[in-house]
Amino acid sequence: MARRIEPVMLKDAAKDSRFKEAPGLSLSSYASLYCLPLYVYSSGALMGVIELLYANTRTFTDEQINFFTTLSGILSNTMHNEALQAELRKMNMELEQWVAEKTEELRSSEERYRTLVENATEAIFVLSEAGDIVFANEHAVRLSGYGKFDLVHKNLAELLADTAQVQGLLAETVQNGQSLRSAGLNRHDGSMVPVEVSCVGLTLLGRRFIQAVARDMSAYVRLEQRLAEKDREIAELKTRSGR
C-alpha cells in the first residue's frame, strides 16, 4: 500500500495473498483491515501509513471512508508541517551558530587590526568612501595636532591642503583599490607638514572603508633642500675656479 500509494480495504484480511504475520504483532486475531497512506500530494512526501484493524468481519460505509480519508489527509499535512518546522528550526540554529562564529571572527579581526594600527609608527586614518574620518590612531593625533574627537568629526579634505587632490585619492582608491599622492597636511597650529598619503580599500564588519596612511616627509624634504644647497655651493665653486 505504501509503495503504490493506494488505500487497501479487506473484509477478510487473512485470506488475502498479501497477508503476512509480523513478529510481535498478533494480526491473525483481526478479521477486517482498512489501511491508508499518509501521503502529501502537494510535495510527494510519504509520511507513513494509518491502519485500522477490526476483530469482526465488516464492510466500510461511504461515510466511514470519507472520514478516514479526511483524517489521513489532516495527519499527513500535520506531520509534514511538523517535519518542515523541525528542519527549519535546525536550519535556524545552524544559521545562528554560523552568524555567532562569524561575528566573533570579525570582532577578533577588528581587535587585532585596531591593536596593530594603534601601535603603528605612521599616521593611519580609516575613512568612509566619501572621505569622512571614522578612526585615527595615536600617531595621526600627534602628526595633526588634533585630538581624536576632533579628527573623527572631520573630512580628509579638511586636513590636506589641496581639496581636489583628496577627491582624486578617494576616487582612485574606490575604482582601483589603492592610490598614492604627495600632499601637505594642515596641522592644528596652522603649520603644514609634507606627507605622502597612500590609500587602500578596506572591509570592516562587512562595510567598505578606505585606509589612509600619512607618512611624515619632513626629514626627506629637508634632506632634499640640503642636497640642493650643496649642489648650488658646488656649482658656485666650479664657477669661481673657472675664473
Side-chain angles (χ1 to χ4, degrees), residues 31-231:
S32 297
L33 174 150
Y34 185 29
C35 193
L36 300 95
L38 296 177
Y39 186 74
V40 182
Y41 289 89
S42 60
S43 63
L46 178 64
M47 307 308 298
V49 298
I50 181 172
E51 189 176 46
L52 307 171
L53 300 168
Y54 294 88
N56 299 321
T57 301
R58 63 174 301 170
T59 57
F60 297 92
T61 65
D62 290 342
E63 184 180 358
Q64 291 171 327
I65 292 172
N66 290 334
F67 171 78
F68 288 123
T69 301
T70 302
L71 178 62
S72 68
I74 294 172
L75 289 175
S76 301
N77 284 288
T78 301
M79 294 169 66
H80 186 243
N81 289 337
E82 181 56 34
L84 291 176
Q85 289 295 326
E87 183 65 22
L88 182 60
R89 286 193 293 270
K90 180 182 176 182
M91 291 174 63
N92 284 337
M93 289 177 62
E94 291 175 350
L95 179 61
E96 288 175 2
Q97 183 178 356
W98 182 86
V99 169
E101 291 173 354
K102 292 301 178 183
T103 301
E104 180 60 25
E105 288 177 10
L106 288 171
R107 187 189 64 79
S108 299
S109 297
E110 185 183 15
E111 287 180 357
R112 288 195 299 271
Y113 172 77
R114 185 182 293 273
T115 300
L116 290 171
V117 168
E118 284 291 6
N119 294 306
T121 57
E122 297 169 324
I124 299 179
F125 303 89
V126 177
L127 318 168
S128 70
E129 293 188 340
D132 297 317
I133 299 172
V134 298
F135 172 79
N137 69 350
E138 289 298 329
H139 201 82
V141 171
R142 291 194 294 271
L143 181 65
S144 67
Y146 288 97
K148 274 197 175 185
F149 181 82
D150 296 320
L151 282 176
V152 297
H153 287 80
K154 289 184 177 297
N155 189 283
L156 187 64
E158 298 177 67
L159 291 183
L160 300 189
D162 189 342
T163 303
Q165 196 174 42
V166 175
Q167 295 173 348
L169 266 171
L170 300 176
E172 186 177 347
T173 304
V174 170
Q175 183 175 355
N176 302 325
Q178 59 184 4
S179 59
L180 177 67
R181 297 284 194 286
S182 294
L185 187 144
N186 297 319
R187 302 188 77 251
H188 183 259
D189 60 9
S191 62
M192 189 180 73
V193 181
V195 293
E196 182 183 70
V197 183
S198 60
C199 295
V200 294
L202 181 69
T203 300
L204 290 174
L205 296 178
R207 295 179 57 192
R208 295 292 300 165
F209 295 94
I210 294 174
Q211 176 183 275
V213 178
R215 298 176 181 86
D216 187 352
M217 304 297 288
S218 299
Y220 179 78
V221 170
R222 287 194 296 269
L223 179 59
E224 282 190 327
Q225 290 173 347
R226 289 178 184 175
L227 290 174
E229 290 173 2
K230 291 297 181 183
D231 288 341

